[in-house]
Amino acid sequence: EPEVTQTPSHQVTQMGQEVILRCVPISNHLYFYWYRQILGQKVEFLVSFYNNEISEKSEIFDDQFSVERPDGSNFTLKIRSTKLEDSAMYFCASLPVLTDTQYFGPGTRLTVL
Amino acid sequence: AQKVTQAQTEISVVEKEDVTLDCVYETRDTTYYLFWYKQPPSGELVFLIRRNSFDEQNEISGRYSWNFQKSTSSFNFTITASQVVDSAVYFCALSERGGSNYKLTFGKGTLLTVNP
């Protein structure tokens, strides 16, 4: 069964450094998402992406965040200058056009020191 | 704006007990979808069920059952004869069909601990 994959599974970085989190969505899906879960808290929507552009972003998704689909398979989340409060699990999800079930990747745990 | 409330922060039961996880939602949309996801200690989000707003039939899948009631805006989840492997955080989520977005709004989750 096809699945969403994410790399790396765990990333440790120093405050102020740039990080890129990578996702490979399911191949025939058209909608892509990033969510964030701070440890022990709920899963929060960050951004949605459709037709090569952002369709919606939350107030969390400020100027230090960006998303890109550089080729036909990868979907990336870049954090330009990480802060301690960016430490969280980041989930990628993709959605096929005809159904509304989002398939989540296993997540990337980001630790900012 | 859409909102999902899971009032139970933590529930602890003994194996073989039945347990119900509550979920109450708010939305202005007439077309929406409700979901339950399981998050085991390993951290991934495991999809359990999706329900659309036009289908109020209850659903049973093995030991799991779901009760959707539009009149009370609730979508409760029952585990019958719980097992230790059911221990996880369970999230209820809502997706509105408005726009082209389908983003999910999650509740805060309920930590279920099933003790042997």
Side-chain angles (χ1 to χ4, degrees):
Chain A
E1 187 174 325
E3 56 184 25
V4 178
T5 59
Q6 290 185 243
T7 54
S9 56
H10 190 189
Q11 172 113 32
V12 181
T13 190
Q14 295 290 325
M15 192 169 58
Q17 294 296 303
E18 175 182 287
V19 295
I20 297 177
L21 310 183
R22 291 185 166 79
C23 168
V24 179
I26 296 173
S27 63
N28 62 344
H29 287 190
L30 298 180
Y31 299 87
F32 311 109
Y33 305 80
W34 283 101
Y35 292 85
R36 179 182 83 175
Q37 184 184 30
I38 294 171
L39 185 64
Q41 298 187 23
K42 68 176 179 179
V43 180
E44 299 174 289
F45 167 76
L46 286 179
V47 65
S48 60
F49 193 86
Y50 170 70
N51 201 23
N52 284 319
E53 60 183 21
I54 290 174
S55 50
E56 185 174 345
K57 57 184 180 180
S58 73
E59 56 194 30
I60 302 169
F61 194 88
D62 61 24
D63 290 346
Q64 69 161 343
F65 289 93
S66 62
V67 290
E68 207 175 38
R69 190 157 159 82
D71 52 42
S73 58
N74 290 286
F75 178 50
T76 62
L77 173 69
K78 182 193 291 187
I79 309 175
R80 266 181 268 283
S81 177
T82 50
K83 303 173 191 155
L84 295 176
E85 54 264 37
D86 293 328
S87 294
M89 182 77 98
Y90 289 81
F91 291 102
C92 171
S94 67
L95 179 67
V97 65
L98 295 178
T99 69
D100 291 306
T101 299
Q102 292 194 17
Y103 294 85
F104 282 83
T108 292
R109 180 164 299 284
L110 176 65
T111 302
V112 182
L113 302 176
Chain B
Q2 56 195 51
K3 184 179 176 182
V4 176
T5 301
Q6 293 180 257
Q8 303 150 310
T9 307
E10 292 187 39
I11 299 176
S12 183
V13 300
V14 177
E15 209 169 16
K16 296 184 185 173
E17 281 186 35
D18 297 348
V19 57
T20 295
L21 310 181
D22 298 332
C23 173
V24 173
Y25 63 92
E26 293 176 31
T27 177
R28 284 178 284 194
D29 232 330
T30 55
T31 302
Y32 53 88
Y33 295 82
L34 295 162
F35 303 79
W36 277 94
Y37 285 86
K38 175 182 179 180
Q39 187 174 45
S42 49
E44 73 271 25
L45 288 167
V46 179
F47 166 75
L48 295 177
I49 190 170
R50 174 175 69 97
R51 224 26 171 184
N52 76 53
S53 52
F54 298 110
D55 183 2
E56 283 193 76
Q57 270 196 323
N58 292 330
E59 180 155 339
I60 298 174
S61 175
R63 296 184 297 108
Y64 296 169
S65 62
W66 291 270
N67 184 322
F68 175 29
Q69 292 197 335
K70 276 177 90 166
S71 60
T72 55
S73 298
S74 65
F75 186 45
N76 296 336
F77 172 32
T78 297
I79 302 174
T80 303
S82 59
Q83 300 175 2
V84 172
V85 293
D86 295 327
S87 296
V89 180
Y90 290 86
F91 290 98
C92 181
L94 167 69
S95 170
E96 291 176 336
R97 196 173 174 90
S100 61
N101 204 4
Y102 306 112
K103 69 178 182 189
L104 287 171
T105 297
F106 284 82
K108 291 186 177 180
T110 297
L111 171 61
L112 174 65
T113 303
V114 182
N115 298 298

